[in-house]
Amino acid sequence: NHDMRVTATPFRDLLADGSRKNLDRCWRAGYTSRVLKESEWPQGHELVRWQRKQKGIEFSMTFAQWLEMRTLFPTRVWMMGTFADNGVLVAAGMLVAVRLDILYVYAWDGIHDANAPTVHLAGAIYAYAQEHKFRLLDAGTSTVNGSSEGKEGLIRFKEALGFLPCLKLTMHR
């Protein structure tokens, strides 16, 4: 699991060199990120689901289930997206405010190109967390399908974005 404190520090200053270069490429390429309109959510969910499928990972939440969460928690569930300069959605993130001060990234992913749009998306999510006074940004687990083994590439990606490893307790009855 990985999380980061949300402070006044600019996101770019938190990044490892490679991620900083990716972010700069996204800016130069004209990428923009914003909260998605609900009408754009199917496209965002499908982008995340498809990218996970390409990695051999079964995505655990259907779009219908995501909408059900929105119905149950209308002010705590939303999505953000990153768009290329031609308006094409290139990265998406599914977000949940688990508490008023903790923003959880349930899932995020994007097309895999030289610009690494998920880095731009992460910056937009961090800026959103700053603006809305979240104190913690939780990037979720770094394992796949309940495995106790960490996914090394995912761990490196999150840590290059400034996230730190953290322990998450699991309670069993």
Side-chain angles (χ1 to χ4, degrees):
N1 297 304
H2 285 79
D3 64 24
M4 72 167 53
R5 300 274 177 229
V6 178
T7 66
T9 303
F11 180 71
R12 190 176 187 286
D13 293 352
L14 301 172
L15 300 175
D17 289 341
S19 291
R20 191 174 304 116
K21 289 175 185 175
N22 288 337
L23 183 62
D24 292 345
R25 274 197 300 271
C26 287
W27 285 338
R28 284 193 305 273
Y31 283 23
T32 57
S33 294
R34 62 173 171 76
V35 173
L36 295 179
K37 301 173 201 158
E38 279 195 55
S39 63
E40 297 169 314
W41 285 18
Q43 184 183 6
H45 182 275
E46 180 58 20
L47 175 65
V48 173
R49 189 198 67 75
W50 174 254
Q51 290 300 328
R52 298 288 171 91
K53 184 177 181 180
Q54 297 310 301
K55 298 172 189 170
I57 302 168
E58 190 63 36
F59 194 44
S60 61
M61 185 176 291
T62 66
F63 185 65
Q65 290 169 322
W66 183 251
L67 288 180
E68 183 178 346
M69 279 189 54
R70 173 65 170 210
T71 299
L72 294 171
F73 308 105
T75 62
R76 292 184 174 224
V77 174
W78 63 96
M79 295 179 76
M80 290 188 77
T82 297
F83 295 85
D85 65 342
N86 62 0
V88 172
L89 183 67
V90 293
M94 303 166 69
L95 309 172
V96 179
V98 293
R99 290 188 354 195
L100 293 177
D101 61 341
I102 300 175
L103 181 57
Y104 172 55
V105 180
Y106 171 75
W108 57 3
D109 217 323
I111 64 168
H112 298 280
D113 68 8
N115 293 328
T118 308
V119 175
H120 194 280
L121 177 66
I125 292 170
Y126 185 80
Y128 183 93
Q130 286 176 312
E131 180 183 342
H132 291 88
K133 309 293 186 226
F134 287 97
R135 97 180 148 73
L136 190 73
L137 183 55
D138 183 342
T141 63
S142 300
T143 60
V144 175
N145 298 332
S147 165
S148 62
E149 295 292 317
K151 297 290 286 182
E152 292 305 316
L154 181 57
I155 291 169
R156 281 191 307 275
F157 173 73
K158 288 179 180 180
E159 291 178 1
L161 294 176
F163 287 92
L164 299 173
C166 64
L167 294 175
K168 296 284 184 282
L169 298 177
T170 303
M171 303 295 201
H172 295 279
R173 244 181 150 164

